[in-house]
Amino acid sequence: EDQVTQSPEALRLQEGESSSLNCSYTVSGLRGLFWYRQDPGKGPEFLFTLYSAGEEKEKERLKATLTKKESFLHITAPKPEDSATYLCAVRKSHGSSNTGKLIFGQGTTLQVKP
Amino acid sequence: GAVVSQHPSRVICKSGTSVKIECRSLDFQATTMFWYRQFPKQSLMLMATSNEGSKATYEQGVEKDKFLINHASLTLSTLTVTSAHPEDSSFYICSARDLWGSQETQYFGPGTRLLVL
Protein backbone atom coordinates (compact mmCIF):
# COMPACT_ATOMS: atom_id res chain seq x y z
CA GLU A 1 0.00 0.00 0.00
CA ASP A 2 1.25 3.48 -0.89
CA GLN A 3 2.15 5.35 2.22
CA VAL A 4 3.88 8.56 3.32
CA THR A 5 5.02 8.92 6.92
CA GLN A 6 6.48 12.08 8.41
CA SER A 7 8.44 12.33 11.62
CA PRO A 8 8.47 13.76 14.12
CA GLU A 9 4.85 14.92 14.43
CA ALA A 10 5.99 18.00 16.29
CA LEU A 11 9.38 19.62 16.75
CA ARG A 12 10.41 22.45 19.03
CA LEU A 13 13.69 24.20 18.35
CA GLN A 14 15.51 27.15 19.75
CA GLU A 15 16.35 29.86 17.28
CA GLY A 16 19.57 28.88 15.54
CA GLU A 17 19.27 25.19 16.44
CA SER A 18 19.52 23.25 13.16
CA SER A 19 17.55 20.04 12.65
CA SER A 20 15.96 17.78 10.05
CA LEU A 21 12.45 16.62 9.27
CA ASN A 22 11.93 13.16 7.81
CA CYS A 23 9.53 11.90 5.17
CA SER A 24 9.52 8.16 4.53
CA TYR A 25 7.58 6.75 1.62
CA THR A 26 6.58 3.43 0.16
CA VAL A 27 5.22 3.94 -3.31
CA SER A 28 5.84 2.20 -6.58
CA GLY A 29 6.84 4.39 -9.47
CA LEU A 30 7.70 7.69 -7.78
CA ARG A 31 7.01 10.67 -10.02
CA GLY A 32 8.07 13.39 -7.67
CA LEU A 33 8.30 14.17 -3.98
CA PHE A 34 6.97 17.54 -2.89
CA TRP A 35 7.59 19.66 0.20
CA TYR A 36 5.12 22.32 1.29
CA ARG A 37 4.92 24.76 4.16
CA GLN A 38 1.51 25.48 5.67
CA ASP A 39 0.74 28.29 8.09
CA PRO A 40 -2.43 28.09 10.24
CA GLY A 41 -5.56 28.97 8.30
CA LYS A 42 -3.75 29.13 4.96
CA GLY A 43 -3.17 26.89 1.98
CA PRO A 44 0.11 25.02 1.56
CA GLU A 45 2.97 27.00 0.06
CA PHE A 46 5.15 25.14 -2.43
CA LEU A 47 8.78 24.70 -1.42
CA PHE A 48 10.48 21.96 -3.48
CA THR A 49 9.98 19.11 -5.90
CA LEU A 50 12.53 16.29 -6.00
CA TYR A 51 12.51 13.63 -8.69
CA SER A 52 15.42 11.24 -8.24
CA ALA A 53 17.58 9.79 -5.50
CA GLY A 54 20.57 11.99 -4.78
CA GLU A 55 18.83 15.16 -5.81
CA GLU A 56 19.10 18.17 -3.51
CA LYS A 57 17.42 21.57 -3.55
CA GLU A 58 17.93 24.62 -1.38
CA LYS A 59 15.96 27.72 -0.54
CA GLU A 60 17.24 30.12 2.09
CA ARG A 61 17.57 28.11 5.32
CA LEU A 62 15.91 25.02 3.88
CA LYS A 63 17.51 22.14 2.03
CA ALA A 64 15.66 19.09 0.78
CA THR A 65 17.31 15.79 -0.09
CA LEU A 66 15.95 12.56 -1.54
CA THR A 67 16.90 8.89 -1.31
CA LYS A 68 15.06 5.85 -2.63
CA LYS A 69 13.10 5.50 0.58
CA GLU A 70 12.95 8.90 2.23
CA SER A 71 13.44 12.62 2.02
CA PHE A 72 14.86 15.02 4.54
CA LEU A 73 14.12 18.67 4.99
CA HIS A 74 17.09 20.24 6.71
CA ILE A 75 16.58 23.54 8.47
CA THR A 76 19.77 25.45 9.17
CA ALA A 77 19.81 28.07 11.91
CA PRO A 78 16.02 28.39 12.00
CA LYS A 79 14.24 31.60 12.92
CA PRO A 80 10.85 32.03 14.61
CA GLU A 81 9.30 32.85 11.23
CA ASP A 82 10.13 29.31 10.09
CA SER A 83 7.47 28.05 12.51
CA ALA A 84 4.82 26.24 10.45
CA THR A 85 3.60 22.79 9.51
CA TYR A 86 5.74 21.16 6.84
CA LEU A 87 3.97 18.72 4.56
CA CYS A 88 5.54 16.07 2.39
CA ALA A 89 3.69 14.49 -0.54
CA VAL A 90 4.54 12.00 -3.25
CA ARG A 91 3.14 11.52 -6.70
CA LYS A 92 3.26 8.10 -8.25
CA SER A 93 3.16 7.07 -11.86
CA HIS A 94 -0.25 6.75 -13.37
CA GLY A 95 0.08 4.43 -16.31
CA SER A 96 2.28 5.91 -19.00
CA SER A 97 1.47 9.50 -18.15
CA ASN A 98 2.92 11.76 -15.51
CA THR A 99 -0.46 12.39 -13.95
CA GLY A 100 -1.50 11.07 -10.58
CA LYS A 101 -2.68 12.46 -7.31
CA LEU A 102 -0.49 13.53 -4.44
CA ILE A 103 -0.31 11.30 -1.38
CA PHE A 104 0.30 13.46 1.67
CA GLY A 105 1.99 12.71 4.95
CA GLN A 106 0.47 13.94 8.19
CA GLY A 107 2.94 16.80 8.48
CA THR A 108 5.50 17.98 11.02
CA THR A 109 4.60 21.02 13.07
CA LEU A 110 7.71 23.06 13.74
CA GLN A 111 7.94 25.66 16.46
CA VAL A 112 11.05 27.82 16.66
CA LYS A 113 11.42 29.78 19.87
CA PRO A 114 13.43 33.01 20.03
CA GLY B 1 6.00 30.99 -7.95
CA ALA B 2 2.68 30.51 -9.62
CA VAL B 3 -0.41 31.90 -7.94
CA VAL B 4 -3.71 30.20 -7.27
CA SER B 5 -6.57 32.25 -5.87
CA GLN B 6 -9.76 31.18 -4.14
CA HIS B 7 -12.94 33.09 -3.52
CA PRO B 8 -14.46 33.58 -1.05
CA SER B 9 -11.86 33.19 1.68
CA ARG B 10 -14.55 32.52 4.22
CA VAL B 11 -18.29 31.98 4.08
CA ILE B 12 -21.03 31.44 6.62
CA CYS B 13 -24.31 30.00 5.40
CA LYS B 14 -27.51 28.51 6.70
CA SER B 15 -28.15 24.80 6.61
CA GLY B 16 -29.79 23.73 3.36
CA THR B 17 -28.30 26.43 1.19
CA SER B 18 -25.68 25.95 -1.54
CA VAL B 19 -22.27 27.54 -1.58
CA LYS B 20 -19.99 28.03 -4.58
CA ILE B 21 -16.22 28.32 -4.22
CA GLU B 22 -14.07 29.53 -7.10
CA CYS B 23 -10.48 28.53 -7.79
CA ARG B 24 -8.37 30.35 -10.35
CA SER B 25 -4.85 29.87 -11.63
CA LEU B 26 -3.66 33.43 -12.18
CA ASP B 27 -0.53 33.13 -14.26
CA PHE B 28 -0.61 29.68 -15.79
CA GLN B 29 -3.05 27.34 -17.45
CA ALA B 30 -4.09 24.33 -15.44
CA THR B 31 -5.59 21.38 -17.26
CA THR B 32 -5.94 19.65 -13.92
CA MET B 33 -7.15 21.11 -10.64
CA PHE B 34 -7.77 19.38 -7.34
CA TRP B 35 -10.12 19.99 -4.45
CA TYR B 36 -9.11 19.11 -0.91
CA ARG B 37 -10.73 19.27 2.46
CA GLN B 38 -8.81 19.76 5.66
CA PHE B 39 -10.01 19.21 9.21
CA PRO B 40 -8.29 20.89 12.16
CA LYS B 41 -4.79 19.58 12.80
CA GLN B 42 -5.11 17.01 10.05
CA SER B 43 -3.53 16.68 6.66
CA LEU B 44 -5.23 17.36 3.35
CA MET B 45 -7.87 14.95 2.11
CA LEU B 46 -8.31 14.81 -1.63
CA MET B 47 -11.97 15.10 -2.62
CA ALA B 48 -11.79 15.14 -6.40
CA THR B 49 -9.67 15.73 -9.44
CA SER B 50 -11.02 18.21 -11.94
CA ASN B 51 -9.99 18.07 -15.60
CA GLU B 52 -10.78 20.91 -17.96
CA GLY B 53 -13.65 20.07 -20.25
CA SER B 54 -14.49 16.73 -18.68
CA LYS B 55 -16.19 15.29 -15.64
CA ALA B 56 -14.42 15.35 -12.32
CA THR B 57 -13.06 12.19 -10.75
CA TYR B 58 -14.21 11.80 -7.16
CA GLU B 59 -12.40 9.97 -4.40
CA GLN B 60 -14.07 7.09 -2.67
CA GLY B 61 -16.64 8.25 -0.15
CA VAL B 62 -17.10 11.72 -1.65
CA GLU B 63 -20.64 12.35 -2.86
CA LYS B 64 -20.50 13.75 -6.38
CA ASP B 65 -24.07 15.03 -6.20
CA LYS B 66 -23.29 16.98 -3.08
CA PHE B 67 -19.95 18.41 -4.15
CA LEU B 68 -20.43 19.62 -7.71
CA ILE B 69 -17.26 20.45 -9.59
CA ASN B 70 -17.04 22.38 -12.82
CA HIS B 71 -13.80 23.05 -14.70
CA ALA B 72 -15.02 25.19 -17.56
CA SER B 73 -11.73 26.79 -18.54
CA LEU B 74 -7.99 26.29 -18.15
CA THR B 75 -7.88 28.83 -15.34
CA LEU B 76 -11.10 28.29 -13.42
CA SER B 77 -12.64 25.47 -11.43
CA THR B 78 -15.61 25.75 -9.10
CA LEU B 79 -16.79 23.63 -6.21
CA THR B 80 -20.43 23.90 -5.20
CA VAL B 81 -21.47 22.44 -1.87
CA THR B 82 -25.15 21.71 -2.36
CA SER B 83 -27.68 21.63 0.48
CA ALA B 84 -24.93 22.29 2.98
CA HIS B 85 -25.19 20.89 6.50
CA PRO B 86 -23.14 21.64 9.62
CA GLU B 87 -20.98 18.56 9.03
CA ASP B 88 -19.83 20.15 5.76
CA SER B 89 -18.15 22.91 7.74
CA SER B 90 -14.47 22.66 6.95
CA PHE B 91 -11.49 24.26 5.25
CA TYR B 92 -11.62 23.67 1.49
CA ILE B 93 -8.45 24.12 -0.52
CA CYS B 94 -8.02 23.95 -4.27
CA SER B 95 -4.84 23.18 -6.12
CA ALA B 96 -3.71 23.55 -9.72
CA ARG B 97 -1.06 21.61 -11.55
CA ASP B 98 1.48 23.55 -13.58
CA LEU B 99 3.27 21.53 -16.22
CA TRP B 100 6.42 23.20 -17.54
CA GLY B 101 8.39 20.88 -19.77
CA SER B 102 9.33 17.87 -17.67
CA GLN B 103 8.86 19.76 -14.43
CA GLU B 104 5.58 19.50 -12.64
CA THR B 105 4.48 21.53 -9.68
CA GLN B 106 1.19 21.66 -7.86
CA TYR B 107 0.26 25.01 -6.33
CA PHE B 108 -2.39 25.52 -3.69
CA GLY B 109 -4.88 28.27 -3.13
CA PRO B 110 -5.25 30.08 0.19
CA GLY B 111 -8.29 28.03 1.19
CA THR B 112 -11.93 28.77 1.94
CA ARG B 113 -13.30 28.42 5.44
CA LEU B 114 -16.92 27.24 5.29
CA LEU B 115 -19.16 27.41 8.34
CA VAL B 116 -22.67 26.00 8.04
CA LEU B 117 -25.06 27.04 10.77
Side-chain angles (χ1 to χ4, degrees):
Chain A
E1 183 185 348
D2 299 325
Q3 202 165 11
V4 179
T5 304
Q6 290 187 246
S7 62
E9 282 188 21
L11 181 62
R12 283 186 174 183
L13 299 173
Q14 287 296 130
E15 184 172 2
E17 180 186 1
S18 301
S19 187
S20 295
L21 282 56
N22 177 263
C23 172
S24 299
Y25 62 91
T26 53
V27 61
S28 56
L30 180 72
R31 289 288 301 190
L33 184 142
F34 299 75
W35 281 99
Y36 292 90
R37 169 193 170 129
Q38 187 176 26
D39 292 295
K42 297 187 178 180
E45 174 191 343
F46 171 75
L47 294 174
F48 306 108
T49 308
L50 301 167
Y51 289 98
S52 55
E55 189 175 358
E56 298 182 353
K57 288 190 177 175
E58 286 188 68
K59 179 181 178 181
E60 296 180 353
R61 295 178 292 282
L62 300 176
K63 178 180 176 181
T65 61
L66 180 65
T67 72
K68 288 186 177 180
K69 294 183 179 181
E70 59 191 348
S71 176
F72 290 95
L73 184 65
H74 307 276
I75 304 177
T76 302
K79 297 181 178 181
E81 53 262 41
D82 294 323
S83 299
T85 295
Y86 290 85
L87 297 168
C88 167
V90 299
R91 187 188 310 286
K92 62 179 291 181
S93 296
H94 183 71
S96 59
S97 72
N98 66 351
T99 59
K101 58 190 178 186
L102 291 181
I103 304 168
F104 276 91
Q106 288 300 105
T108 294
T109 299
L110 172 66
Q111 184 180 29
V112 182
K113 294 195 168 184
Chain B
V3 178
V4 176
S5 70
Q6 270 183 253
H7 178 78
S9 58
R10 106 181 9 218
V11 57
I12 301 173
C13 69
K14 292 183 179 180
S15 186
T17 60
S18 294
V19 174
K20 179 186 281 189
I21 303 170
E22 288 188 352
C23 176
R24 295 180 185 273
S25 56
L26 297 184
D27 52 2
F28 66 100
Q29 293 184 329
T31 55
T32 306
M33 290 185 171
F34 305 86
W35 288 95
Y36 293 82
R37 186 172 178 176
Q38 188 175 34
F39 293 102
K41 299 192 177 182
Q42 292 190 25
S43 193
L44 284 74
M45 182 189 82
L46 180 65
M47 298 174 65
T49 301
S50 167
N51 292 298
E52 186 265 337
S54 63
K55 290 184 179 180
T57 303
Y58 290 82
E59 294 299 300
Q60 193 172 10
V62 178
E63 297 176 59
K64 61 180 181 180
D65 294 329
K66 179 166 188 61
F67 299 100
L68 300 179
I69 291 172
N70 182 271
H71 193 158
S73 77
L74 288 172
T75 58
L76 173 64
S77 176
T78 60
L79 168 68
T80 301
V81 183
T82 62
S83 187
H85 291 285
E87 57 265 31
D88 298 323
S89 299
S90 191
F91 191 50
Y92 293 88
I93 311 174
C94 75
S95 177
R97 179 179 288 156
D98 184 10
L99 292 172
W100 180 253
S102 61
Q103 300 294 309
E104 175 190 333
T105 305
Q106 192 167 319
Y107 296 98
F108 285 82
T112 296
R113 177 78 58 192
L114 171 63
L115 177 61
V116 184
L117 302 176

